[in-house]
Amino acid sequence: MSSPVVLLVGFEPFDTETTNPSMQIARRLDGESIAGRTVVGGILPVTFVDAPIALAELIDRRQPELVVALGQAGGRAEISLERVAINLIDARIPDNSGLQPIDKPVLENGPAACFSTLPIKAMKARLDSLGIPCALSLSAGSFVCNQVFYWLCHVLGNEYPSVRGGFIHVPWLPEQAERHPGQPAMALATMVDGIRAAIECALLTKSDLHVAGGTTH
Ligand code: PCA
């Protein structure tokens, strides 16, 4: 019998970027074994129409035990463990298909917000112990990442209630930050180590810590 699967998705490049660290991390960890599970990496398009469909197809096809979605948050200095997805799309820029929805719900008549089911405080403690910059975040924005995060909560909550999932934003890579003077960056190797440790922690932690959280964003 094949080993259980962790689905790890990242995004294609968007805006004026030619790469996306989330895509690179998903590629690097694809096929790795973490705590006896096999990581399956996937890449989502940065488009409001196709990204949620692609995510749902990957979940249905791979039947993962855990789902971690990654996205780039240029300008942030830490790996951001997102706590909450909101039922709002308010695109600052067009997506990769040219669509720019303003003030639209992700899901008509859906709840206003939903929470990550990852043990984010335990994950933060783990990254802190490794010296990898990490923060809890209260906003995944209102672009495609937030939409995918909201959709992930919706699909898991309705169709796979025993499967945990959530969203993690990562900083720009050093080569990206070069084009944005004064902005923070993180080396790919550090991000890969951080996401690997975060996944391992999520797999091994059944219930989250309840310590003062230090939410910073
Ligand atoms: N970041 C964008 C979408 C894709 C990505 O990597 C966001 O934060 O919404």
Side-chain angles (χ1 to χ4, degrees):
M1 213 179 100
S2 54
S3 64
V5 160
V6 173
L7 180 63
L8 179 68
V9 293
F11 280 99
E12 289 174 344
F14 68 105
D15 198 11
T16 57
E17 302 296 332
T18 55
T19 190
N20 189 322
S22 68
M23 170 182 85
Q24 295 202 30
I25 298 163
R27 282 191 183 146
R28 280 278 185 103
L29 290 175
D30 179 47
E32 256 196 39
S33 172
I34 303 179
R37 284 75 158 184
T38 302
V39 177
V40 170
I43 312 297
L44 302 179
V46 185
T47 58
F48 287 104
V49 172
D50 291 330
I53 296 171
L55 175 71
E57 277 178 4
L58 278 170
I59 294 171
D60 288 344
R61 187 148 45 95
R62 300 296 191 161
Q63 298 286 308
E65 170 185 342
L66 179 80
V67 183
V68 176
L70 305 172
Q72 162 196 310
R76 291 198 191 177
E78 312 95 352
I79 291 178
S80 296
L81 306 174
E82 300 293 349
R83 301 196 74 165
V84 57
I86 56 174
N87 192 13
L88 174 70
I89 300 174
D90 190 13
R92 177 180 55 85
I93 53 171
D95 72 10
N96 284 355
S97 73
L99 210 66
Q100 188 173 9
I102 312 277
D103 298 341
K104 298 272 190 268
V106 176
L107 182 67
E108 207 74 57
N109 301 317
C114 49
F115 293 116
S116 173
T117 51
L118 300 178
I120 49 169
K121 288 188 172 174
M123 291 159 77
K124 179 173 183 324
R126 179 95 171 86
L127 268 66
D128 286 349
S129 76
L130 296 173
I132 298 175
C134 174
L136 302 184
S137 166
L138 286 172
S139 177
S142 55
F143 193 51
V144 180
C145 286
N146 173 72
Q147 183 210 29
V148 158
F149 182 16
Y150 187 94
W151 196 247
L152 174 63
C153 297
H154 174 72
V155 169
L156 295 185
N158 283 286
E159 294 173 40
Y160 302 96
S162 65
V163 177
R164 292 191 292 172
F167 200 95
I168 304 177
H169 264 122
V170 294
W172 272 318
L173 294 161
E175 59 266 34
Q176 294 178 286
E178 263 173 27
R179 300 198 300 118
H180 307 274
Q183 292 296 310
M186 190 178 281
L188 180 61
T190 308
M191 298 199 227
V192 168
D193 286 347
I195 299 304
R196 183 189 295 109
I199 290 172
E200 185 183 48
C201 177
L203 288 168
L204 300 179
T205 307
K206 290 290 163 245
S207 51
D208 202 3
L209 302 173
H210 291 290
V211 294
T215 299
T216 54
H217 293 292

